[in-house]
Amino acid sequence: MLHALYLLGIAAFAASGVLAAHRANMDPFGGFALAFAAAISGGTLRDLVLDRHPLYWTRDWLLLVLIASVAALTMFYLRRRSLPQRTLMVVDAVGLAVVTVIGARAALDAHVTPVAVLILAVVTGVTGEVIRDVLCGEFPPLLLREEVYATAALAGAAAYLGLHWAGVPDTLNTAASASLVFALRLAAVFGDLHLPRLQRATG
């Protein structure tokens, strides 16, 4: 189940990269570039921090084929139909939910400290989005706005860690923690859930 969810998360981030490129009026090369950047950046940074070599995507041809295929199919679809404005955020929420949990699992397998598990899970989840937004010229990236994004990833990572300590089976833990991240992101997208902005004190 974990590997299937992993592929789902990668596919969702690849599609979100193409959707972002489409919104930024990029050409097909830009679409492929953003698909790969969004899909593999978080895991790459995590593996570099954990000193895991070779990098995971250099050994997995299926993963690279999946990213390229999803990117091509998404571009093909967008040439014929338009998508609702919030589609990018919903697709991205799927990727964030799944990849965050994958990052937490990888960090636990590396036997790092609990705080490091949380940090690496969030890094795995949000790095692709940051690079995608920067390449699209969106400043500040979604991560640094008042949107509940990294906060949702942190909540999911904490839930995964807590349920792991409680002895919850990994399949149930993965589903519950990923669902929490996804639900928080949907609440932010559709329910106007956001963090307060930093403001200068008055008076």
Side-chain angles (χ1 to χ4, degrees):
M1 176 185 175
L2 192 62
H3 186 66
L5 282 176
Y6 167 67
L7 294 178
L8 173 64
I10 291 297
F13 268 154
S16 78
V18 174
L19 291 170
H22 178 75
R23 190 173 62 182
N25 296 316
M26 292 185 178
D27 61 16
F29 180 82
F32 279 109
L34 261 65
F36 277 91
I40 67 175
S41 296
T44 298
L45 181 56
R46 177 201 65 222
D47 282 1
L48 289 174
V49 171
L50 293 175
D51 196 26
R52 294 171 59 175
H53 298 284
L55 297 176
Y56 72 102
W57 54 266
T58 64
R59 299 174 295 169
D60 193 345
W61 64 267
L62 176 62
L63 179 68
L64 300 179
V65 170
L66 174 66
I67 295 170
S69 300
V70 168
L73 289 172
T74 305
M75 284 187 276
F76 179 79
Y77 182 89
L78 290 173
R79 288 182 65 87
R80 285 156 178 77
R81 296 186 181 182
S82 59
L83 290 173
Q85 186 176 1
R86 290 177 173 172
T87 299
L88 170 60
M89 292 186 177
V90 174
V91 172
D92 183 76
V94 175
L96 177 68
V98 174
V99 174
T100 295
V101 173
I102 296 296
R105 178 72 262 173
L108 278 172
D109 289 343
H111 305 290
V112 299
T113 66
V115 173
V117 170
L118 298 180
I119 293 172
L120 289 169
V122 173
V123 164
T124 305
V126 307
T127 299
E129 176 276 330
V130 172
I131 293 177
R132 182 197 70 205
D133 284 0
V134 169
L135 291 175
C136 285
E138 293 190 18
F139 296 97
L142 183 64
L143 171 66
L144 300 180
R145 303 173 209 163
E146 70 272 19
E147 293 274 358
V148 174
Y149 195 86
T151 312
L154 180 60
Y160 186 89
L161 189 59
L163 292 174
H164 173 76
W165 284 342
V168 174
D170 195 62
T171 299
L172 178 59
N173 188 358
T174 298
S177 302
S179 296
L180 175 61
V181 179
F182 185 68
L184 289 174
R185 274 303 294 147
L186 288 190
V189 173
F190 294 103
D192 195 30
L193 177 66
H194 58 84
L195 300 175
R197 293 186 178 184
L198 291 175
Q199 294 179 339
R200 181 179 299 175
T202 58

